[in-house]
Amino acid sequence: MTNTMRNTTIQDFKVALVNYPGAQLAAIEGLADLFLVASRKSMSEGGGQVIIQRISAPLEAAFDAVIFPPSLDGARGTGEDKLIAWAVGQHQRGARLCSVCAGAFWLGHAGLLTGRPVTTHWALEDEFRAAFPAARLCPEHILIDDNDIVTAGGLMAWVDLGLFLVGLWGGQALVSATARHLLVDPSGREQRNYRSFRPNRAHGDAAILNVQHWLEAHPDGAASVEQLAAVAGLSGRTFLRRFQAATGLPPSTYAQQLRVEKARGLLERTRNPVAQIAWAVGYADPSAFARVFKGVTGLSAGEYRRRFGTVRMGRGLHST
């Protein structure tokens, strides 16, 4: 990759934006605008352009990249869809196939994700894993580049995907120029910065649900398996088996995720010092809390508060 813009020896970059039924139009038009900005800046330096085509039915033309955007109405595609067969043909001709958010389902139905690292919106994790168990889902990432397959996470991750493709085609200098023009951050985001812990409570196991409610009410307690099993009215071995089956997590991981989620809320809504928040969610050692919080969210507690805090910090007040 070069740090200068492309010159006239570089060919134009042809991109298909798949306008499938239910596709998010804002993403399609936003990507078109992003590529237009990049094209204008490239051509002003004597370089090529990104040629965009919105596709709602199969075409004979060959593309360098094919993008399946997000969907706001639950559209997921099926293996019988003609657009999926067309995308497979484009892939076989050398196109890089890309998706944003639920667009990854279309790539999955195309049979292209077996053994592949892939991301989608973190809230779609369970649905995606059930549909495509052979894919290596990594929902903590905003974007995963697997060479001929590129997937991006949440609804607005089309910005990350668009800038990534601009970089592949035109180099980092063009990415920077495009990002500055659009007033967006060209890098550094991860989905885990935004991801919330949403435990399953619809599993139908009343004993385990009782433990989940108890943990919600006692985030500052370092409960042992024996104590939690007593809350459930079960033996330790039976409790562990049923808790894992109901929630998908061992009790220790579940409790850790729950504490971090409660810490997120306190960082967002209060001015309380980080050490006080650590204590409130069960960490007597602030350094241990700092390690766990960053491991789960990808940000330090102070960085998280600066990015997502809803309470303005007054003079003389500090987040740590």
Side-chain angles (χ1 to χ4, degrees):
M1 184 177 291
T2 179
N3 288 325
T4 59
M5 292 189 186
R6 299 291 193 180
N7 57 36
T8 53
T9 65
I10 301 302
Q11 296 180 350
D12 293 337
F13 191 60
K14 300 176 182 177
V15 177
L17 301 174
V18 184
N19 187 12
Y20 61 82
Q24 184 190 20
L25 297 181
I28 293 174
E29 298 307 319
L31 280 163
D33 287 344
L34 184 152
F35 290 132
L36 176 61
V37 170
S39 292
R40 287 176 174 171
K41 292 189 175 296
S42 173
M43 289 187 291
S44 72
E45 299 287 331
Q49 63 180 318
V50 182
I51 299 173
I52 295 296
Q53 190 149 3
R54 297 161 182 80
I55 303 296
S56 56
L59 294 179
E60 286 298 320
F63 292 90
D64 298 301
V66 175
I67 301 176
F68 284 88
S71 171
L72 293 178
D73 67 358
R76 300 289 186 264
T78 70
E80 306 301 319
D81 195 291
K82 291 181 180 180
L83 283 170
I84 289 178
W86 172 80
V88 171
Q90 289 287 323
H91 185 249
Q92 292 171 345
R93 295 167 72 175
R96 180 178 275 105
L97 295 194
C98 310
S99 68
V100 183
C101 194
F105 283 82
W106 293 74
L107 302 188
H109 286 307
L112 298 172
L113 300 183
T114 298
R116 293 286 199 127
V118 58
T119 190
T120 187
H121 194 293
W122 60 265
L124 300 177
E125 178 179 355
D126 292 342
E127 181 185 354
F128 191 90
R129 288 191 190 280
F132 310 109
R136 291 163 48 201
L137 183 62
C138 306
E140 68 274 18
H141 294 298
I142 283 282
L143 185 141
I144 293 179
D145 169 24
D146 198 35
N147 297 315
D148 57 329
I149 301 289
V150 182
T151 54
L155 285 166
M156 293 301 295
W158 60 262
V159 176
D160 302 82
L161 176 62
L163 291 174
F164 173 80
L165 292 175
V166 166
L168 287 181
W169 167 66
Q172 190 57 45
L174 184 56
V175 172
S176 297
T178 304
R180 285 198 303 271
H181 184 92
L182 297 173
L183 298 181
V184 295
D185 186 351
S187 63
R189 298 196 305 154
E190 297 183 69
Q191 249 193 123
R192 61 179 175 162
N193 302 161
Y194 307 89
R195 183 175 185 173
S196 296
F197 180 52
R198 305 199 312 182
N200 178 25
R201 297 191 184 89
H203 44 69
D205 190 328
I208 299 305
L209 182 60
N210 192 39
V211 172
Q212 290 176 274
H213 289 321
W214 189 90
L215 287 169
E216 289 279 359
H218 301 85
D220 56 342
S224 65
V225 170
E226 291 74 18
Q227 289 173 301
L228 295 177
V231 172
L234 302 169
S235 69
R237 180 175 297 180
T238 300
F239 165 70
L240 286 173
R241 174 176 56 79
R242 284 173 55 175
F243 192 94
Q244 177 86 37
T247 68
L249 297 170
S252 59
T253 303
Y254 184 100
Q256 182 187 83
Q257 293 282 343
L258 182 62
R259 289 171 181 170
V260 169
E261 187 64 20
K262 288 185 177 292
R264 285 181 189 257
L266 290 170
L267 288 165
E268 291 170 13
R269 300 188 305 271
T270 77
R271 297 190 180 104
N272 297 347
V274 171
Q276 182 179 333
I277 290 174
W279 183 271
V281 298
Y283 288 90
D285 180 0
S287 63
F289 168 75
R291 288 193 300 272
V292 170
F293 189 88
K294 188 163 188 177
V296 172
T297 68
L299 298 170
S300 70
E303 289 170 333
Y304 185 89
R305 171 172 271 163
R306 284 189 289 274
R307 184 175 294 189
F308 299 108
T310 59
V311 178
R312 187 179 300 276
M313 302 298 289
R315 287 185 178 178
L317 293 174
H318 301 282
S319 61
T320 58

